[in-house]
Amino acid sequence: MARMLIENIRLVQPDGSLGTGSILIEEGKIAEVAGESYTDLDAERFDGGGAVALPGFIDVHIHGARGADFMDDDSIAAQTIAAALPAEGTTSFLATTLTHSPERISKAVQHGRRFMENIEQGAEMLGFHLEGPFIHPDQAGAQPSMHICKPSMEDLQKWFGDTLADLKIITMAPEQDPGFRVIRELAEHGVIVSAGHTTADYETLSQAQSAGLSHLTHYGNAMRGLHHREIGVVGAGMLNEGLFCEIIADGIHLSTDMLKLAVKVIGPDRILLITDSMRAKGLPDGSYTLGDQDVTVSGKEAVLSDGTLAGSVLKMNEGLHQLRMSAGISWQDAIKLSAENAARRLGVFNRKGSLDQGKDADIVLVTDDFGVRYTFCRGRMSFAYDQNEDVPMD
């Protein structure tokens, strides 16, 4: 792969300001980040048009996009999704499963692993986020309740092998795990255990945290809310500093006031922006499916027939724009929420999550309101906007 110099860009400085600079890419890695361009360099030159350079976004909770879902019994679903994600600045992701039959989950893992072995272009799959089936029926949300079952290491090892290779995050209801035996084993294997679709109260959640739970799935949704006599899982996310909180910043799953409160109280160091998007992302309004359930998509909202939210159609860059408008996040906050925190959580900060020398050249060039102009995945240009089709965000 030839050397490329991305010049005429703005870089986020240590003090949070923007300064002009350039990034030199060699063999898919960041070779140098400079405060100025080079006059004499043997490299292909790329004009960034004054855009802001950010590390590629990492989405740790995504089900689908462009008509495909990771639960599809289809070897090209992951490829379709990975090809679509650079348009929103996403360069890495966790394939997220849904509560379903053991056979269907097993097939999803097999398809995903085959894709991981042959990634060449598009966003990189870093592993799996298993959402369900070990959740509470009373907080099933859009998860198919008929397939909910009790936590089982045996099932997990059937799907992922004895070492649970490639399983990075599991969403489960801790109150369904007596003595938190499964949570302890998962934590010992290095799997991030996340509470979600749960009826747990604050005390139960805190006990599970002592056993190894460290994460909250789509914070505020499908969990016990904040009450002045029982602060629930939402209160735990605010109070317990060892908990990391996923947020869907579409203004629907969390109100704009709640987004502002979360950023202010929890802080940007413990929040991970996610999309939780389903197959309708990037497609027109209409009827789609999620886990064999019919979903109606209208505007920014995806719902089941009874009005239950069924994931989202959010894009990562849109989430950052919403957070800027709602909570006034800085450029440094944006980097943490969309890339750095996820990279650290997944143990890949040595190669992703920042624009530092030696790391993968996962780079997104955005406008001041987070409109994506160009995305590079491991040094390859994977998205370039078409000015004729570009639609500014609200």
Side-chain angles (χ1 to χ4, degrees):
M1 186 182 297
R3 294 201 299 176
M4 174 184 288
L5 180 69
I6 303 176
E7 53 189 351
N8 188 19
I9 56 176
R10 289 175 290 162
L11 298 166
V12 180
Q13 307 300 308
D15 64 0
S17 64
L18 297 176
T20 58
S22 61
I23 300 174
L24 180 63
I25 299 173
E26 292 182 352
E27 300 299 326
K29 301 287 186 180
I30 297 174
E32 188 172 352
V33 180
E36 57 185 25
S37 192
Y38 300 82
T39 57
D40 185 19
L41 182 69
D42 181 19
E44 177 186 353
R45 290 176 179 267
F46 181 82
D47 185 349
V52 180
L54 301 175
F57 307 147
I58 303 174
D59 192 350
V60 304
H61 189 153
I62 172 174
H63 295 277
R66 285 284 176 182
D69 187 300
F70 292 114
M71 293 299 293
D72 292 344
D73 189 8
D74 186 336
S75 60
I76 65 170
Q79 180 180 338
T80 299
I81 298 165
L85 294 185
E88 61 193 75
T90 297
T91 57
S92 302
F93 63 91
L94 294 184
T96 306
T97 62
L98 196 73
T99 296
H100 217 292
S101 67
E103 296 76 19
R104 188 78 166 267
I105 292 173
S106 179
K107 286 184 178 181
V109 173
Q110 293 170 24
H111 288 310
R113 280 181 161 164
R114 279 195 288 270
F115 172 73
M116 289 178 70
E117 293 171 357
N118 297 286
I119 297 173
E120 295 183 0
Q121 299 183 14
E124 180 178 358
M125 180 175 160
L126 300 175
F128 294 89
H129 179 160
L130 188 76
E131 186 178 13
F134 310 141
I135 59 177
H136 197 287
D138 291 347
Q139 286 283 15
Q143 301 274 333
S145 58
M146 72 286 293
H147 297 298
I148 292 174
C149 55
K150 295 291 185 180
S152 164
M153 285 299 299
E154 291 74 18
D155 284 342
L156 290 169
Q157 289 173 329
K158 286 179 183 177
W159 299 329
F160 294 98
D162 291 343
T163 63
L164 305 184
D166 305 320
L167 177 58
K168 304 301 181 182
I169 300 177
I170 179 171
T171 292
M172 59 185 290
E175 70 275 21
Q176 298 290 81
D177 181 21
F180 310 120
R181 180 184 66 83
V182 172
I183 290 175
R184 293 181 194 279
E185 288 195 51
L186 285 164
E188 289 172 1
H189 279 84
V191 178
I192 296 170
V193 182
S194 185
H197 295 277
T198 173
T199 63
D201 57 14
Y202 175 75
E203 182 179 356
T204 301
L205 195 283
S206 295
Q207 291 173 353
Q209 188 178 353
S210 296
L213 186 143
S214 62
H215 199 91
L216 300 180
T217 296
H218 41 53
Y219 181 71
N221 291 271
M223 60 180 59
R224 190 183 294 260
L226 183 68
H227 187 275
H228 59 280
R229 288 191 292 271
E230 164 50 51
I231 66 172
V233 180
V234 170
M238 294 182 178
L239 188 61
N240 297 4
E241 294 186 358
L243 288 174
F244 290 80
C245 303
E246 299 177 354
I247 60 171
I248 308 170
D250 58 0
I252 297 171
H253 285 80
L254 296 176
S255 72
T256 55
D257 291 333
M258 186 61 184
L259 289 173
K260 184 176 182 179
L261 180 63
V263 171
K264 182 177 182 179
V265 177
I266 300 171
D269 291 337
R270 291 197 291 120
I271 293 176
L272 288 77
L273 174 64
I274 63 164
T275 65
D276 193 15
S277 64
M278 45 89 70
R279 70 171 75 245
K281 176 161 68 174
L283 297 177
D285 290 355
S287 298
Y288 298 91
T289 59
L290 178 68
D292 300 329
Q293 302 169 105
D294 292 332
V295 177
T296 299
V297 175
S298 178
K300 297 179 180 180
E301 192 171 66
V303 297
L304 300 180
S305 59
D306 63 0
T308 300
L309 289 174
S312 85
V313 290
L314 181 68
K315 299 175 182 177
M316 285 287 281
N317 65 308
E318 293 173 344
L320 288 173
H321 177 69
Q322 178 65 257
L323 286 165
R324 171 70 60 79
M325 300 298 292
S326 302
I329 62 168
S330 66
W331 286 109
Q332 290 172 313
D333 293 341
I335 290 172
K336 289 180 179 180
L337 297 170
S338 65
E340 180 179 339
N341 293 348
R344 290 185 184 277
R345 291 290 283 153
L346 297 177
V348 295
F349 190 62
N350 62 318
R351 64 187 183 95
K352 296 184 184 293
S354 68
L355 299 180
D356 291 328
Q357 184 178 10
K359 292 195 175 185
D360 291 348
D362 290 345
I363 304 165
V364 55
L365 303 184
V366 301
T367 62
D368 287 354
D369 63 354
F370 296 103
V372 176
R373 291 298 174 258
Y374 305 97
T375 302
F376 297 84
C377 295
R378 303 175 302 288
R380 292 177 179 268
M381 183 184 289
S382 299
F383 173 77
Y385 84 104
D386 183 339
Q387 191 171 11
N388 295 322
E389 297 181 1
D390 191 47
V391 179
M393 287 178 289
D394 297 333

